[in-house]
Amino acid sequence: MLIRLAIRDVVLIEALDLDFSSGLGALTGETGAGKSILLDSLGLALGARADSGLVRHGAPQAVVTASFDAGDDAAIAALLAENGLEGEPGEPLIVRRIVKADGGSRASINDQPVSAALLREVGGRLVEIHGQHDDRGLLNARGHRALLDAFGRFDLTSVAQAHARWRAAEAALETARADLETAERDREWLEHAVGELAALAPEPGEEEALASERSAMQKGARLAEDLSGVTAHLDGSDGALAGLRQAARRLDRIAHEHEALATALAALDRAVIEASEAEDALTAAGRAMAFDPERLDRIETRLFDLRGLARKHRVQPEELPALTEELSGRLARMAAGSEGLAALEKAVATARKAYETEAAALSEARAEAALRLDKAVAAELAPLKLDAARFRTAIERRPEAQWGAEGRDRVEFLISTNPGAPFAPLVKIASGGELSRFILALKVALAEAAGARTMIFDEIDRGVGGAVASAIGERLARLADKAQLLVVTHSPQVAARAARQLLIAKSHDGIVTRTGVRLLDEAERREEIARMLSGAEVTDEARAQAGKLLAA
């Protein structure tokens, strides 16, 4: 909802700050007072083309700032988040446009610079502006399907999910076909590679274990002479360990004769124990680093084969077991390729049928909703002096290449303005006044459907009066129960329906002409509506009639 509009130096507007509220607001004033300037200013803030001609004469730049309450609009929140423009919860959304007199322009959202294209996209979600030359909004056929779905309250989740499953099945089939074609081209190489790997039969962790064993053997070969010498000093009847044990036995016989002998015996016992441990450790080291030339030769041959095959396939040696499994799997799938493809083709057919079932049900529901929408719009045409016109929601099936998550249908709103005339797109055959009233009829019929929270109708009542103007005012007021509405009007019947009325007027101080806008109180509203009824000279009868319109 539009909360505030601040305009600086736009054409005849020097400085203007306007506050807005919910419901129906009317903007009135004499022809040429500047109502179009106000709408052009708002359009500029919403991303319209920047025209340096909008800059007030003598001013360096024009600035328009609009503040909105976006509420819990998920689409706007997602669009802002996608572009890194998240605002604070509960804070207004502020859009700003600056146009310089030399033609340059800048745009921002929440004081962060953005492109004019993004400003236009956000602005389109915030405000719908419907005028006699409008070619967007309801007149854009690309949005008609979404409007019909919103009118019918359709949940497209099941169709979207069925479409996703169908496309996923097709992708799996295409991948399998490509893999099979590649595999067939590489069959000879694949068979040779699998045979070579199977013959070598690499095992997980094998290369690391063999390398470690070879390293230990190589160390053993270098240390064999030293180990043998150390062992010779300890082992045998003449070795150090035998001498220690013999000395301990002889000392044991006399240790009781003196305290020092007992101490010496204890030390010898400890020495025997530690020397025995050293002997055991040397034996273990010798076994671990035992040098077996034949075993070493086998290890080096195996390592050479493993590393050579790894280089050939451009992998690490430890990856050879996984490569064996992968290539064997490809060869197996090739052998069972036709059978696998048949299963995938069946899955695609099943998924397609499920999607078509969901899409057909949606198409049927859309056809029923289209009849209801046509009837609802038809009911609004006669009161709006369009009783000769006919409205039709056309639904046609799109080519299969265009089927999507939203179904198979193309939807477009068509009209025939005269009996016997063919149906055609609304924008192509309706005149200015008819176009605005058709838009109003559609909006009333689609009142519950999704749309912007703020709608602006520019002179929708041009060329009509009396009962038709009253019908327009009644429908605008009805729409205002669902969204914020602003209407630029010359019709007293429409203005009287508004909850608030803003008067747009020019003033001249002898040098500069300015456009101003002010909120009217009840007495001023009655006087303005009386002027709209009677023209230049406001009569008592016009004031009385204005009072009746306001009271009604």
Side-chain angles (χ1 to χ4, degrees):
M1 182 179 76
L2 178 63
I3 302 173
R4 185 175 179 83
L5 182 64
I7 305 172
R8 298 291 183 272
D9 296 321
V10 176
V11 192
L12 299 179
I13 299 176
E14 186 173 3
L16 187 62
D17 294 286
L18 297 173
D19 293 317
F20 296 90
S21 62
S22 59
L24 178 60
L27 289 84
T28 62
E30 295 181 356
T31 300
K35 295 185 289 295
S36 62
I37 299 174
L38 196 64
L39 293 186
D40 288 343
S41 298
L42 179 58
L44 187 65
L46 297 173
R49 187 176 68 86
D51 184 353
S52 60
L54 292 173
V55 181
R56 187 172 64 88
H57 180 69
Q61 63 183 24
V63 183
V64 183
T65 304
S67 301
F68 292 89
D69 176 7
D72 56 356
D73 192 310
I76 291 178
L79 183 59
L80 295 178
E82 181 181 334
N83 289 275
L85 297 170
E86 299 93 331
E88 293 295 326
E91 291 296 315
L93 176 63
I94 301 173
V95 298
R96 180 177 291 113
R97 192 78 176 280
I98 299 173
V99 180
K100 295 184 179 180
D102 61 8
S105 71
R106 299 198 307 273
S108 68
I109 297 176
N110 289 341
D111 294 323
Q112 299 176 65
V114 299
S115 66
L118 178 58
L119 185 66
R120 208 157 33 244
E121 187 173 1
V122 173
R125 295 180 182 275
L126 291 168
V127 179
E128 292 179 15
I129 300 178
H130 299 293
Q132 295 192 43
H133 305 291
D134 184 30
D135 60 355
R136 302 162 297 164
L138 294 178
L139 305 184
N140 189 340
R142 286 179 297 178
H144 291 177
R145 180 200 52 75
L147 288 169
L148 179 62
D149 288 347
F151 176 78
R153 300 179 180 274
F154 301 138
D155 182 356
L156 306 187
T157 302
S158 59
V159 175
Q161 290 175 343
H163 181 263
R165 288 191 291 268
W166 176 27
R167 294 309 182 198
E170 285 187 326
L173 176 60
E174 289 305 312
T175 299
R177 282 175 174 162
D179 287 347
L180 186 59
E181 289 175 4
T182 301
E184 288 290 348
R185 288 196 302 268
D186 299 336
R187 176 186 285 276
E188 185 176 347
W189 173 86
L190 195 59
E191 288 176 342
H192 173 74
V194 170
E196 194 174 36
L197 285 164
L200 188 62
E203 298 179 0
E206 181 182 10
E207 191 264 351
E208 183 179 357
L210 289 174
S212 178
E213 185 178 354
R214 182 184 67 169
S215 178
M217 279 192 173
Q218 290 171 337
K219 287 180 182 179
R222 293 196 307 271
L223 301 176
E225 185 177 350
D226 291 332
L227 285 174
S228 179
V230 172
T231 302
H233 285 300
L234 287 175
D235 286 347
S237 57
D238 295 330
L241 184 55
L244 284 173
R245 287 171 178 162
Q246 186 177 1
R249 286 196 298 270
R250 295 187 68 176
L251 186 57
D252 184 53
R253 292 197 294 269
I254 62 173
H256 63 278
E257 296 294 342
H258 193 280
E259 181 180 348
L261 294 175
T263 302
L265 177 61
L268 275 174
D269 287 340
R270 290 194 299 274
V272 169
I273 292 171
E274 292 188 1
S276 297
E277 291 176 354
E279 183 182 38
D280 293 340
L282 285 169
T283 301
R287 285 197 302 269
M289 292 187 291
F291 176 63
D292 180 352
E294 292 184 2
R295 173 62 180 164
L296 181 59
D297 184 61
R298 290 195 299 272
I299 288 174
E300 289 184 335
T301 300
R302 180 69 174 173
L303 283 172
F304 179 82
D305 291 342
L306 287 170
R307 291 171 178 173
L309 197 56
R311 285 193 299 272
K312 181 177 181 180
H313 290 284
R314 298 181 182 181
V315 298
Q316 295 300 316
E318 61 267 21
E319 297 173 354
L320 286 173
L323 179 64
T324 303
E325 184 177 349
E326 178 190 343
L327 297 183
S328 298
R330 285 175 58 183
L331 195 59
R333 287 194 296 275
M334 185 187 302
S338 298
E339 183 179 346
L341 286 181
L344 289 173
E345 288 169 351
K346 183 177 179 181
V348 169
T350 300
R352 176 195 170 103
K353 184 176 181 181
Y355 170 76
E356 288 186 311
T357 299
E358 293 286 351
L362 178 59
S363 297
E364 186 176 343
R366 281 175 176 156
E368 188 276 331
L371 293 176
R372 289 191 287 113
L373 178 59
D374 294 351
K375 184 177 180 180
V377 173
E380 300 295 333
L381 296 180
L384 296 175
K385 203 176 179 181
L386 295 168
D387 44 307
R390 292 174 297 154
F391 173 86
R392 186 175 75 191
T393 304
I395 302 176
E396 62 181 29
R397 180 177 297 187
R398 296 185 294 186
E400 183 175 334
Q402 297 179 18
W403 293 0
E406 71 288 345
R408 306 178 299 185
D409 305 317
R410 180 181 182 274
V411 178
E412 186 173 10
F413 299 148
L414 304 175
I415 64 164
S416 169
T417 53
N418 296 298
F423 282 90
L426 183 64
V427 70
K428 291 185 177 180
I429 64 173
S431 65
E434 287 177 328
L435 192 58
S436 296
R437 280 176 279 149
F438 259 114
I439 290 171
L440 179 58
L442 265 172
K443 268 297 178 184
V444 172
L446 295 166
E448 299 296 332
R453 296 165 62 91
T454 298
M455 288 182 282
I456 298 175
F457 287 88
D458 183 14
E459 297 190 6
I460 192 172
D461 48 18
R462 173 172 291 188
V464 299
V468 176
S470 294
I472 291 173
E474 187 273 329
R475 280 153 180 78
L476 289 171
R478 197 193 314 168
L479 272 180
D481 290 337
K482 306 291 183 182
Q484 180 188 45
L485 256 73
L486 297 174
V487 56
V488 176
T489 181
H490 290 285
S491 167
Q493 292 91 340
V494 172
R497 285 280 187 174
R500 302 169 82 235
Q501 186 170 343
L502 298 170
L503 177 64
I504 303 172
K506 282 183 182 178
S507 62
H508 186 70
D509 60 6
I511 299 175
V512 178
T513 300
R514 296 180 177 86
T515 290
V517 183
R518 63 187 180 88
L519 179 67
L520 302 181
D521 60 25
E522 287 301 314
E524 290 170 330
R525 283 194 69 184
R526 185 178 63 178
E527 193 69 13
E528 170 63 6
I529 291 174
R531 181 200 64 78
M532 296 169 73
L533 285 165
S534 60
E537 183 179 350
V538 180
T539 64
D540 290 338
E541 290 82 359
R543 292 188 180 95
Q545 184 61 28
K548 291 180 181 179
L549 287 175
L550 287 169

